[in-house]
Amino acid sequence: MRSNHVRLNCGITMPLIGLGTYSFPNDRNTTELAVHYALEMGYRHFDTAKIYGSEPAVGKALNEAICEGVVEREDIFLTSKLWGSDHHDPVSALKQTLENLGMEYLDMYLVHWPVKLKPWVNYPVPNEDDFEKLELENTWAGMEKCLEMGLCRCIGVSNFSSKKIESLLDYASTTPAVNQVEMHPMWRQERLRKTCGDHKIHLSAYSPLGGPGNAWGSTAVVNHPIITSIALKHRATPAQVALNWGLSKGSSVIVKSFNEERMKENMGSFDLRLDDEDMLEIEKLEEMKIMRGEFHVNETTSPYKTIEELWDGEI
């Protein structure tokens, strides 16, 4: 197995750095160009979702590259996600995703959030009356059906706390291969990393730089004096330090930048080697949760009345 890949509990390998394709609003041409640039730089892991609106652009760019002989489909690792309005029928949702992408299968299909929304809710920020009672056992049975039908090679979850993982495992016939959550040097997810590790579930980090440039994000991670001093010590960039910290913890990282230079910079994080002193210094950083997901919190209609309930106190 190549050193920049991880073997998942479903038996397949996944590249440790993935290109995230969320942007708002999503511009199809910009996304297509970014995917082509990423392929040239060596990216082989691409992360999308129905709610991102980027599936058609990602699929078009990847299919063009495959047809031109730039890459083979078998060398691509493609992830998408089940939105909350599709919990009643994951199979149909995945078939639509595959149609959007122009692909025969996904490598990874994730439950995007542990939240069920009414079937017509196809916008990223739900309204107060958009929530329904989540029966995760039924959702997961649908995800397992996707796997049995060969529509995807692995299934997993996203934004699941330790408690939600443990609950899912009570009835799951197939253990999730991945749990994709926000994780970076200022939200280190110690408890969740242990829970996932105990069950051989790979933890994948989104917003591994703290989400700078996003509405919910912050530059606090890449601008923190400890991160910048470690970067100076290694003649690296703060982004490379933050990404290598995540990789050093055994996680994969989903990086979102459509800027060519930053995309190259992010791939360069593989070349950095943080030492024990660096890791100890990073452990001193005050935890700062970006609080992505607060739009699933509502005192009257959501199953989660506070952000703490959404994450079961793991914040």
Side-chain angles (χ1 to χ4, degrees), residues 202-217:
H202 176 75
L203 195 69
S204 186
Y206 71 72
S207 295
L209 305 179
N214 290 324
W216 66 84

Side-chain angles (χ1 to χ4, degrees), residues 95 135 145 162 206 228 247 250 276 314:
K95 286 180 176 179
E135 295 176 345
K145 185 68 174 176
S162 295
Y206 71 72
T228 57
L247 294 169
D276 291 344
E314 291 185 26

Side-chain angles (χ1 to χ4, degrees), residues 2-295:
R2 287 165 287 182
S3 60
N4 59 351
H5 284 61
V6 60
R7 186 169 297 280
L8 303 175
N9 65 19
C10 56
I12 68 174
T13 61
M14 181 176 77
L16 284 167
I17 289 188
L19 182 74
T21 60
Y22 172 83
S23 62
F24 184 80
N26 182 262
D27 181 82
R28 183 163 182 162
N29 289 335
T30 301
T31 303
E32 288 177 18
L33 282 172
V35 172
H36 282 296
Y37 288 143
L39 287 167
E40 291 175 10
M41 294 174 202
Y43 286 83
R44 293 296 182 266
H45 178 179
F46 296 88
D47 182 272
T48 183
K50 171 186 174 177
I51 203 64
Y52 297 171
S54 61
E55 288 176 340
V58 171
K60 184 172 183 288
L62 290 177
N63 279 305
E64 286 175 350
I66 292 167
C67 288
E68 293 166 4
V70 174
V71 68
E72 295 183 3
R73 172 63 183 93
E74 293 73 20
D75 296 326
I76 296 296
F77 193 98
L78 185 56
T79 295
S80 194
K81 307 176 190 76
L82 177 81
W83 183 236
S85 60
D86 294 320
H87 277 245
H88 64 288
D89 192 356
V91 170
S92 294
L94 179 47
K95 286 180 176 179
Q96 182 60 58
T97 277
L98 294 174
E99 184 177 328
N100 294 343
L101 288 162
M103 295 286 177
E104 294 183 356
Y105 65 91
L106 283 181
D107 298 283
M108 181 66 64
Y109 196 39
L110 305 177
V111 177
H112 204 154
W113 285 92
V115 171
K116 184 177 182 181
L117 303 170
K118 291 177 179 175
W120 58 82
V121 181
N122 289 320
Y123 35 86
V125 182
N127 298 316
E128 287 189 15
D129 59 350
D130 288 340
F131 297 93
E132 290 190 344
K133 182 181 179 182
L134 174 62
E135 295 176 345
L136 188 57
E137 186 170 358
N138 293 337
T139 300
W140 194 248
M143 296 291 285
E144 291 175 332
K145 185 68 174 176
C146 291
L147 190 62
E148 292 167 11
M149 293 174 67
L151 300 175
C152 56
R153 300 173 71 203
C154 278
I155 53 176
V157 296
S158 182
N159 300 298
F160 273 51
S161 66
S162 295
K163 183 176 178 180
K164 291 179 177 66
I165 289 286
E166 298 283 3
S167 175
L168 173 60
L169 292 175
D170 285 342
Y171 48 77
S173 298
T174 302
T175 299
V178 163
N179 185 16
Q180 187 186 112
V181 299
E182 180 183 342
M183 180 177 129
H184 46 71
M186 296 181 76
W187 191 0
R188 295 184 284 277
Q189 298 278 21
E190 285 96 340
R191 179 183 171 194
L192 187 55
R193 281 193 280 117
K194 182 180 186 307
T195 298
C196 288
D198 288 345
H199 297 289
K200 296 181 170 56
I201 299 169
H202 176 75
L203 195 69
S204 186
Y206 71 72
S207 295
L209 305 179
N214 290 324
W216 66 84
S218 168
T219 60
V221 174
V222 292
N223 288 342
H224 196 285
I226 287 178
I227 298 295
T228 57
S229 66
I230 292 172
L232 185 64
K233 168 184 169 182
H234 291 282
R235 297 183 180 179
T237 67
Q240 288 172 339
V241 170
L243 293 176
N244 191 267
W245 173 85
L247 294 169
S248 297
K249 293 297 183 182
S251 298
S252 53
V253 291
I254 307 299
V255 289
K256 191 272 153 186
S257 178
F258 290 172
N259 176 286
E260 255 190 284
E261 289 306 311
R262 290 197 187 116
M263 289 163 72
K264 290 179 184 175
E265 175 187 330
N266 292 338
M267 285 296 277
S269 60
F270 279 125
D271 301 325
L272 179 61
R273 292 291 178 270
L274 297 178
D275 57 36
D276 291 344
E277 182 183 357
D278 300 328
M279 299 299 280
L280 288 171
E281 285 296 303
I282 290 172
E283 292 297 319
K284 296 177 183 177
L285 268 64
E286 181 181 355
E287 295 243 320
M288 173 208 66
K289 291 79 181 178
I290 303 302
M291 299 301 187
R292 188 172 180 200
E294 61 187 359
F295 47 80

